[in-house]
Amino acid sequence: MGDMSNSDFYAKNQRNEGNHAAGFGCSLMELRSLMELRGTEAVVKLQEDYGGVEGLCKRLKTSPTEGLAGVQTDLDKRKEIFGKNLIPPKKPKTFLQLVWEALQDVTLIILEIAALISLGLSFYHPPGESGGESCGSAAGGVEDEGEADAGWIEGAAILLSVVCVVLVTAFNDWSKEKQFRGLQSRIEQEQKFQVVRGSQVIQLPVADIVVGDIAQVKYGDLLPADGVLIQGNDLKIDESSLTGESDHVKKSADKDPMLLSGTHVMEGSGRMVVTAVGVNSQTGIIFTLLGAGTEEEEKKEKKVKKQDGAAAMEMQPLKSAEGGETDEKERKKVSVPKKEKSVLQGKLTKLAVQIGKAGLLMSAITVIILVLYFAIDNFVMQKHPWMPECTPIYIQYFVKFFIIGVTVLVVAVPEGLPLAVTISLAYSVKKMMKDNNLVRHLDACETMGNATAICSDKTGTLTTNRMTAVQCYVGDVHYKEIPEPGVLPPKSLDLLVNAISINSAYTTKILPPDREGGLPKQVGNKTECGLLGLVMDLKRDYQPIRNQIPEEKLYKVYTFNSVRKSMSTVIKLPDGSFRMYSKGASEIVLKKCSHILNEVGEPRVFRPRDKDEMVKKVIEPMACDGLRTICVAFRDFPSNPEPHWDDENNILSDLTAICVVGIEDPVRPEVPDAIQKCQRAGITVRMVTGDNINTARAIAIKCGIIHPGEDFLCIDGKEFNRRIRNEKGEVEQERIDKVWPKLRVLARSSPTDKHTLVKGIIDSTMADQRQVVAVTGDGTNDGPALKKADVGFAMGIAGTDVAKEASDIILTDDNFSSIVKAVMWGRNVYDSISKFLQFQLTVNVVAVIVAFTGACITQDSPLKAVQMLWVNLIMDTFASLALATEPPTESLLKRKPYGRNKPLISSTMTKNILGHGAYQLVIIFTLLFVGEQIFDIDSGRNAPLHSPPSEHYTIIFNTFVMMQLFNEINARKIHGERNVFDGIFRNPIFCSIVFGTFAVQIVIVQFGGKPFSCQPLDLEKWMWCVFLGLGELVWGQVIATIPNSRLRFLRRAGQLTQKDELPEEDVNEENEEIDHAERELRRGQILWFRGLNRIQTQIEVVNTFKSGTSFQGAGALRRQSSTTSQTQDVTNVSSPSHVSLSNALSSPTSTTAATAPPTTGQC
């Protein structure tokens, strides 16, 4: 389907080629072929055919500095000739396709076949009236013509209800699809890009970029179109999404100017002229090749889509297949798992399969018993011969038995489970949008509810990301607030203003406020904005300086990256010599300074001991106030000989410091409260930041991450690495395990530190629960940590496209308190599904037992096939809607996270399911066997084949449905709360579904007649049915009174599911999933590890002897690590409270957290 639209697209473009080549100096095809070249080949082609980049710009009628004029007619013309910048999405499935998919359901197919056989047989009348007598009890039902004719009704009714179920499922899938498409387009609109139009830099939605636009490329961008580089500073691109090569490619206008869409800018900045957009760009061409049609290619497309950023939104809802095996296979096929299965999905798949198997068994037994009973009764007891003319009647009986069996199966299999999960997640995702959480992967929403740790960035997440310079150190004086410009030495002032104005990205600006009295708008890098703010506070303006030295005139730029932690810009002075301005983290830049400007602005020698004094007297006090310290410096180079610019180490040394600035980034007012909520909810918040340790600690205290006097760790990246790496420099899990439990602040951390920490916490086996870690990130370098985490949060405002790409949830307001909302919604999803399960399993257990025993004792299920399907519809589709849309409450944050190995069905739930099941069974069996005496009506038991519906069975059916309705209200609470009506009116969907179901039930009973096997009831009998239903609520209170501790066997029940509940593949990857109550098992595990360790040591010994090298190093080290791991394991098992002690003993090198100097809570 997709390829059709693409080929039309080309045909149209081809036609345009001839007539428009005149309009612009190059055609679409020429540009496409140009973009396929790389490196020098491309440079040569550009030079020969176009006269370089300038020539290309001329032909495309654009200016390399001023961009397009932005006239609408011109833009439209460009879109018409060169195409629009969007890749046509795959056509969504039509409603009919979804209906067809819903029909593939195994149980429904079985039912359809049974219904068709039943229909066919009901129209067949045995030849000869005499035959009826001799077929024995089998023919008992055919009383008169009218009744016999009504035989088709049952088959038709089953078909009708199948149609209902299919339509509901298809409609659900369809609305789901629609929601995701809405979400996708929302994400696509979110992506904006900086473009120069009419010499103004503006942010444009990616779809509006046209060929000929001049785009500004900077660190962290995901390129939205193909282009040719006009001018670049130190530009490095990650082209792995197209080439698969992980090395970053250096781009420069004279060596390799080709920039491709879908690639990531890892370093530097520059400007490019856009040459191909949409389906003509390199990514677009790949999409078109994929044809976006066939199924095999969907997988590949997913991969490319992931990389294409704008379109990447791989949401995989649970397939709404029957909860049984198909579900598992489907899911394995569909999800190219980003991470392992989400906790809930794993538990649910397993549960659905188990229930499905049990149902299949029950239904098979039911059918066998019915057939045997009938055969023995007729052919053995009554000694009837098998007559050929009776065969159709016998077959009719067998079909009836078969239908009863299938109904048992239908009721047993909870096909509402995938539906409930999907509805719950889709509903949550929609509502989370309002809470500023844009969910990119559905299961992230539910994983978040299990989070036990959050590793958060400082800047922008915990703080407002509005940087303001509040202190500075210039000319040997420390100013606690920004001084008047007259006070400062004029030379120092000029150097400072120039250094800040030139040595910062020219895209960074401070604009006048949007509304009167507002704060000025900061655009671009916020730290640079703080410095530019300092220039303005000193009554100077940076713009004239930038106009005087435009970006093209910058001689060389060393852009900021995580290794350098500084940025430097070289300019050529009028006399031909060079001057380099540098700025960066104060301790890093000061190390490279050999001079500093004194009180009159002249350089004086800056000795190592001066540096130490400076750190103590200036930098630490600033940092203790929670300020980020930036040092600004410069260096002059002679014109002859010209320095060797690539020798970075020599260039970036021997600097002269101008000043140190303290920049404040105030804590967001709502953060301390949000962090307190997290801590109450059992979630540890850790701060991971690139800032210096004192700044980080000061902010952590303000946020409430650490409280003075507690036992915690605040360390920097260097100390962190020293503690977690062994002599060879390898990271060891045992060492990480000694650090992370107490770690609250990790300062001056590199992206690898962040990734190591996240991985270390996730892989840790110390606690009895595997930790579920959420991470926030905004920079390109946060990608790996975001991907590794269970849930990655990217910043919607400050985040780079690369970070958004790697994340699961995007915080549209960059605010930490939105993460707390995500936790609440995640827990709510889990609870909603538990509520649904509690309700569903009660109905399942009761319906299956009733159908089974009823069939065995009375040869006929008290609940008919069509009635069962109706019950199934209530309890599956409607109940999943009603219970899955409960809004979250603050009380969700008052409990600890469930963790991965807590069974899905808690002991309270088991108690409720068994308790309510018992009540319902007692009532139904009482009605079944003595109901006719209580109500003084004819018995419905042992009715012949096509007999009319009896009042007796109608009462049973009606009571059953009433009990389900009232039990649905009970199911709203799963933690044993008393008040089940609490907050019921906050959920209008729930109320309307309960009342709606009640209304439909009245209609079915009073007017359902033959198809529903119902006989209208009078008011008194109705009151009795409702009364028995209401008993559910009273009984619910009785059950709530029984303490769980009394019911020992429930605990066992809860734990048995524990081992089953883990999906098989999880068990392999996570040895952590072993319950601590099962110490023996854990001990066995230790012995097993010990054995492994010994084998490894022996293999190493053998290898070492073979190679003849000295054995001591490797083996001893190995042995030592294995023994420490053993002692640690043992102490952990025997008493978790001694862990800290064993850690302290097993590694004498690391100082214990309590005594280590960086742990003090005060500054």
Side-chain angles (χ1 to χ4, degrees):
M1 281 175 296
D3 35 17
M4 256 309 288
S5 55
N6 289 350
S7 49
D8 295 351
F9 201 90
Y10 284 128
K12 203 161 76 196
N13 286 336
Q14 243 71 45
R15 284 199 298 280
N16 289 338
E17 292 282 48
N19 21 357
H20 288 303
F24 292 100
C26 40
S27 67
L28 177 72
M29 277 310 165
E30 287 167 17
L31 286 175
R32 268 187 67 170
S33 59
L34 171 69
M35 289 319 292
E36 278 160 15
L37 302 174
R38 302 277 178 275
T40 40
E41 218 182 336
V43 181
V44 173
K45 172 97 170 162
L46 261 177
Q47 225 35 58
E48 288 174 359
D49 292 13
Y50 298 95
V53 182
E54 283 74 24
L56 179 65
C57 291
K58 275 203 192 76
R59 290 201 191 184
L60 290 173
K61 299 188 173 169
T62 180
S63 146
T65 47
E66 289 166 22
L68 297 175
V71 185
Q72 199 51 50
T73 49
D74 174 47
L75 296 178
D76 292 342
K77 186 175 166 196
R78 286 172 191 272
K79 280 186 184 166
E80 191 187 343
I81 298 170
F82 298 111
K84 291 187 181 141
N85 194 21
L86 48 93
I87 292 168
K90 247 179 62 191
K91 285 207 175 74
K93 287 185 174 148
T94 58
F95 188 69
L96 287 174
Q97 279 171 309
L98 291 170
V99 167
W100 178 243
E101 275 182 14
L103 278 171
Q104 309 301 308
D105 198 45
V106 188
T107 15
L108 287 181
I109 293 174
I110 296 175
L111 266 183
E112 286 153 28
I113 295 170
L116 288 172
I117 295 175
S118 161
L119 266 178
L121 289 173
S122 66
F123 291 125
Y124 174 86
H125 292 303
E129 287 305 304
S130 60
E133 301 307 309
S134 54
C135 291
S137 66
V142 192
E143 285 137 12
D144 56 72
E145 284 302 284
E147 283 308 333
D149 290 349
W152 63 275
I153 289 180
E154 187 166 27
I158 292 179
L159 281 182
L160 192 74
S161 50
V162 165
V163 168
C164 276
V165 172
V166 166
L167 287 178
V168 169
T169 315
F171 179 73
N172 264 315
D173 286 348
W174 179 77
S175 55
K176 205 161 65 194
E177 177 97 0
K178 205 171 113 200
Q179 261 181 355
F180 293 154
R181 288 203 174 253
L183 216 53
Q184 191 138 346
S185 65
R186 159 100 192 249
I187 279 194
E188 277 164 26
Q189 287 154 15
E190 293 262 307
Q191 206 196 356
K192 295 219 166 54
F193 209 80
Q194 285 194 333
V195 173
V196 182
R197 283 207 180 154
S199 43
Q200 287 293 317
V201 179
I202 52 170
Q203 292 263 347
L204 265 190
V206 167
D208 294 345
I209 292 176
V210 294
V211 169
D213 259 325
I214 304 294
Q216 292 206 334
V217 184
K218 60 180 187 312
Y219 157 81
D221 283 342
L222 184 138
L223 300 183
D226 292 358
V228 178
L229 188 64
I230 300 173
Q231 173 265 324
N233 303 320
D234 208 6
L235 194 61
K236 287 190 186 157
I237 306 276
D238 173 12
E239 292 189 348
S240 58
S241 57
L242 288 177
T243 61
E245 296 295 325
S246 57
D247 293 340
H248 299 170
V249 185
K250 260 194 154 150
K251 296 284 178 183
S252 59
D254 50 356
K255 291 205 180 73
D256 183 0
M258 297 308 192
L259 301 178
L260 307 174
S261 60
T263 58
H264 296 134
V265 182
M266 299 314 273
E267 253 182 62
S269 61
R271 285 203 322 279
M272 71 168 187
V273 55
V274 176
T275 52
V277 292
V279 282
N280 301 305
S281 66
Q282 293 301 306
T283 310
I285 293 169
I286 294 177
F287 264 100
T288 323
L289 290 177
L290 287 173
T294 51
E295 294 297 59
E296 295 79 48
E297 300 193 307
E298 258 185 45
K299 313 262 188 321
K300 278 187 237 152
E301 186 187 352
K302 266 214 175 108
K303 280 189 199 131
V304 177
K305 249 203 176 150
K306 253 192 204 161
Q307 294 147 0
D308 174 48
M313 175 76 185
E314 38 116 3
M315 286 217 150
Q316 294 150 354
L318 285 172
K319 271 283 192 262
S320 192
E322 196 66 34
E325 273 90 331
T326 47
D327 195 344
E328 271 218 292
K329 286 191 201 100
E330 284 271 8
R331 182 129 9 93
K332 286 206 179 90
K333 210 165 58 201
V334 173
S335 57
V336 183
K338 173 174 173 293
K339 297 177 176 144
E340 61 205 73
K341 246 191 222 161
S342 84
V343 188
L344 189 66
Q345 268 174 318
K347 290 180 177 180
L348 283 178
T349 311
K350 196 78 181 138
L351 191 71
V353 172
Q354 286 171 338
I355 295 176
K357 283 178 186 161
L360 203 64
L361 191 71
M362 290 293 271
S363 64
I365 295 175
T366 312
V367 174
I368 293 167
I369 288 183
L370 284 171
V371 171
L372 283 178
Y373 191 100
F374 175 79
I376 290 171
D377 189 48
N378 262 341
F379 304 127
V380 178
M381 310 293 285
Q382 301 183 26
K383 298 192 170 55
H384 284 298
W386 181 294
M387 293 178 170
E389 63 267 28
C390 291
T391 306
I393 294 180
Y394 292 149
I395 288 180
Q396 229 167 337
Y397 258 105
F398 290 149
V399 168
K400 177 181 159 186
F401 296 153
F402 181 58
I403 290 180
I404 290 174
V406 173
T407 344
V408 172
L409 177 64
V410 171
V411 175
V413 170
E415 59 271 53
L417 259 185
L419 193 66
V421 176
T422 310
I423 291 177
S424 181
L425 288 173
Y427 170 78
S428 302
V429 165
K430 208 170 170 181
K431 289 279 192 249
M432 280 167 82
M433 293 277 274
K434 292 191 181 125
D435 285 340
N436 303 313
N437 281 298
L438 183 63
V439 180
R440 293 184 66 237
H441 301 112
L442 259 192
D443 53 5
C445 166
E446 161 267 315
T447 312
M448 205 45 221
N450 283 317
T452 53
I454 298 176
C455 294
S456 172
D457 265 357
K458 178 179 75 72
T459 313
T461 316
L462 300 173
T463 57
T464 55
N465 204 7
R466 265 200 73 85
M467 303 283 192
T468 33
V470 287
Q471 295 186 18
C472 65
Y473 177 86
V474 187
D476 293 341
V477 185
H478 184 177
Y479 298 96
K480 292 286 188 182
E481 47 221 30
I482 302 302
E484 286 299 309
V487 184
L488 302 178
K491 278 187 189 168
S492 304
L493 182 58
D494 282 347
L495 271 169
L496 176 61
V497 172
N498 277 325
I500 290 174
S501 308
I502 294 169
N503 184 29
S504 57
Y506 278 27
T507 45
T508 305
K509 297 188 182 63
I510 292 186
L511 303 177
D514 289 342
R515 53 179 193 281
E516 278 297 301
L519 290 164
K521 248 174 61 183
Q522 297 189 337
V523 182
N525 181 314
K526 295 297 192 277
T527 312
E528 290 181 355
C529 284
L531 291 170
L532 291 175
L534 172 68
V535 171
M536 297 174 88
D537 289 342
L538 294 170
K539 316 281 187 289
R540 295 295 191 89
D541 190 2
Y542 60 87
Q543 204 50 55
I545 300 173
R546 285 183 172 181
N547 295 346
Q548 192 187 337
I549 305 181
E551 215 167 347
E552 301 75 71
K553 287 202 180 154
L554 300 178
Y555 197 80
K556 169 101 179 112
V557 179
Y558 299 95
T559 49
F560 181 91
N561 65 23
S562 51
V563 181
R564 287 189 191 121
K565 285 215 191 310
S566 66
M567 170 182 180
S568 310
T569 303
V570 181
I571 55 168
K572 202 165 189 172
L573 298 173
D575 62 1
S577 63
F578 300 99
R579 173 168 288 173
M580 176 178 76
Y581 292 116
S582 253
K583 68 162 194 287
S586 53
E587 51 260 55
I588 288 165
V589 176
L590 281 175
K591 274 204 192 101
K592 297 173 180 164
C593 289
S594 58
H595 291 78
I596 188 165
L597 295 182
N598 62 13
E599 62 280 2
V600 288
E602 294 298 331
R604 66 171 168 84
V605 179
F606 188 54
R607 294 183 301 269
R609 67 158 184 269
D610 299 341
K611 283 179 201 166
D612 297 339
E613 195 174 337
M614 177 108 162
V615 168
K616 278 202 188 66
K617 297 253 172 76
V618 181
I619 294 174
E620 283 187 0
M622 280 189 186
C624 278
D625 295 340
L627 305 184
R628 169 182 268 184
T629 54
I630 303 282
C631 177
V632 183
F634 78 104
R635 178 181 177 185
D636 287 330
F637 295 96
S639 54
N640 197 8
E642 184 173 328
H644 183 48
W645 297 115
D646 286 340
D647 179 12
E648 253 183 67
N649 290 343
N650 283 335
I651 299 282
L652 295 178
S653 63
D654 200 16
L655 305 176
T656 304
I658 306 173
C659 87
V660 174
V661 186
I663 298 181
E664 180 182 44
D665 184 6
V667 173
R668 285 173 182 263
E670 61 280 0
V671 162
D673 185 42
I675 285 180
Q676 199 183 355
K677 277 185 188 159
C678 282
Q679 289 163 343
R680 219 179 308 142
I683 301 169
T684 313
V685 183
R686 295 183 172 84
M687 177 157 82
V688 182
T689 175
D691 249 346
N692 110 17
I693 185 147
N694 298 330
T695 311
R697 189 186 288 128
I699 299 274
I701 290 174
K702 283 183 192 164
C703 294
I705 291 178
I706 55 180
H707 305 103
E710 280 180 3
D711 181 16
F712 56 76
L713 264 182
C714 290
I715 53 179
D716 57 10
K718 216 159 148 192
E719 170 67 9
F720 176 68
N721 277 306
R722 193 183 67 67
R723 290 188 180 203
I724 63 168
R725 293 177 188 277
N726 59 18
E727 298 78 20
K728 292 184 187 161
E730 294 157 353
V731 177
E732 282 189 5
Q733 186 60 46
E734 290 143 41
R735 290 170 181 249
I736 295 186
D737 284 347
K738 291 168 198 164
V739 176
W740 73 259
K742 288 190 176 174
L743 182 69
R744 291 295 173 273
V745 176
L746 180 57
R748 279 278 175 259
S749 68
S750 67
T752 20
D753 295 341
K754 194 172 188 174
H755 181 256
T756 311
L757 175 67
V758 172
K759 184 175 180 305
I761 298 179
I762 287 178
D763 295 346
S764 169
T765 47
M766 276 180 63
D768 49 347
Q769 297 282 10
R770 146 154 159 32
Q771 296 277 314
V772 177
V773 184
V775 166
T776 69
D778 51 6
T780 307
N781 43 25
D782 289 329
L786 287 171
K787 263 205 154 37
K788 176 68 192 164
D790 295 287
V791 182
F793 285 93
M795 302 299 143
I797 305 166
T800 57
D801 301 331
V802 184
K804 290 180 188 174
E805 206 27 34
S807 70
D808 303 282
I809 298 179
I810 295 174
L811 296 176
T812 50
D813 63 345
D814 287 14
N815 194 337
F816 186 84
S817 58
S818 304
I819 299 179
V820 182
K821 296 254 176 56
V823 173
M824 211 155 88
W825 276 107
R827 293 187 172 190
N828 192 49
V829 168
Y830 200 96
D831 277 8
S832 297
I833 287 156
S834 299
K835 289 170 190 175
F836 172 72
L837 264 179
Q838 177 173 303
F839 174 70
Q840 165 107 28
L841 291 178
T842 312
V843 188
N844 277 8
V845 167
V846 174
V848 169
I849 292 177
V850 167
F852 176 71
T853 45
C856 298
I857 298 171
T858 66
Q859 278 70 73
D860 180 13
S861 168
L863 299 171
K864 299 290 178 288
V866 182
Q867 295 175 350
M868 286 282 216
L869 282 169
W870 162 238
V871 169
N872 211 25
L873 196 71
I874 308 178
M875 69 184 207
D876 274 357
T877 312
F878 295 157
S880 63
L881 249 179
L883 292 168
T885 52
E886 288 269 315
T889 55
E890 285 281 331
S891 61
L892 287 168
L893 292 175
K894 298 216 172 79
R895 61 173 178 72
K896 300 276 177 269
Y898 279 145
R900 290 188 157 242
N901 18 2
K902 178 162 187 311
L904 202 56
I905 303 163
S906 65
S907 51
T908 313
M909 285 166 65
T910 319
K911 179 177 75 175
N912 288 341
I913 292 169
L914 296 178
H916 289 294
Y919 172 82
Q920 296 184 10
L921 285 172
V922 167
I923 299 282
I924 285 175
F925 284 134
T926 310
L927 289 177
L928 179 60
F929 296 114
V930 291
E932 69 270 32
Q933 292 150 31
I934 300 175
F935 290 110
D936 193 23
I937 45 178
D938 296 336
S939 166
R941 290 198 301 283
N942 300 327
L945 192 60
H946 291 306
S947 56
S950 64
E951 260 191 297
H952 182 193
Y953 275 19
T954 308
I955 289 178
I956 294 179
F957 166 57
N958 200 18
T959 309
F960 182 64
V961 172
M962 287 303 125
M963 290 194 292
Q964 297 328 322
L965 263 187
F966 288 104
N967 194 29
E968 196 166 339
I969 298 174
N970 275 333
R972 289 184 66 244
K973 300 293 174 202
I974 48 171
H975 297 299
E977 294 92 334
R978 289 266 177 205
N979 181 4
V980 288
F981 292 103
D982 177 38
I984 194 164
F985 294 113
R986 286 224 318 275
N987 187 357
I989 303 180
F990 184 87
C991 301
S992 48
I993 282 178
V994 170
F995 288 121
T997 314
F998 191 72
V1000 176
Q1001 178 65 15
I1002 294 177
V1003 174
I1004 288 178
V1005 170
Q1006 297 308 94
F1007 311 107
K1010 184 81 196 176
F1012 277 98
S1013 321
C1014 284
Q1015 185 83 14
L1017 301 177
D1018 56 29
L1019 188 64
E1020 186 199 353
K1021 296 196 181 68
W1022 258 103
M1023 295 312 282
W1024 270 107
C1025 294
V1026 175
F1027 171 72
L1028 290 171
L1030 273 169
E1032 268 290 7
L1033 292 175
V1034 182
W1035 184 244
Q1037 294 300 316
V1038 175
I1039 294 177
T1041 318
I1042 306 171
N1044 289 7
S1045 51
R1046 283 293 168 80
L1047 306 169
R1048 273 293 149 74
F1049 65 96
L1050 287 187
R1051 282 223 188 129
R1052 298 295 338 136
Q1055 267 170 9
L1056 285 177
T1057 52
Q1058 195 155 335
K1059 289 210 279 299
D1060 310 343
E1061 225 89 58
L1062 296 170
E1064 293 86 342
E1065 59 264 55
D1066 275 17
V1067 176
N1068 307 342
E1069 21 177 57
E1070 302 193 337
N1071 300 330
E1072 300 89 343
E1073 305 272 51
I1074 295 160
D1075 182 26
H1076 255 243
E1078 302 157 23
R1079 294 271 164 80
E1080 285 65 44
L1081 216 164
R1082 192 86 169 81
R1083 291 230 171 86
Q1085 192 191 2
I1086 292 169
L1087 290 171
W1088 166 243
F1089 275 144
R1090 228 176 259 172
L1092 268 182
N1093 259 329
R1094 289 199 182 135
I1095 292 170
Q1096 274 171 328
T1097 313
Q1098 279 158 0
I1099 290 174
E1100 276 187 13
V1101 175
V1102 173
N1103 289 346
T1104 317
F1105 276 130
K1106 270 187 192 160
S1107 62
T1109 50
S1110 98
F1111 151 68
Q1112 278 166 321
L1117 204 136
R1118 169 104 234 162
R1119 198 179 284 153
Q1120 181 190 338
S1121 71
S1122 76
T1123 47
T1124 49
S1125 73
Q1126 285 167 23
T1127 50
Q1128 196 156 355
D1129 264 348
V1130 174
T1131 43
N1132 280 0
V1133 172
S1134 52
S1135 82
S1137 60
H1138 294 169
V1139 171
S1140 54
L1141 194 137
S1142 81
N1143 290 350
L1145 293 177
S1146 62
S1147 122
T1149 51
S1150 94
T1151 46
T1152 53
T1155 56
T1159 57
T1160 47
Q1162 299 82 24
C1163 206

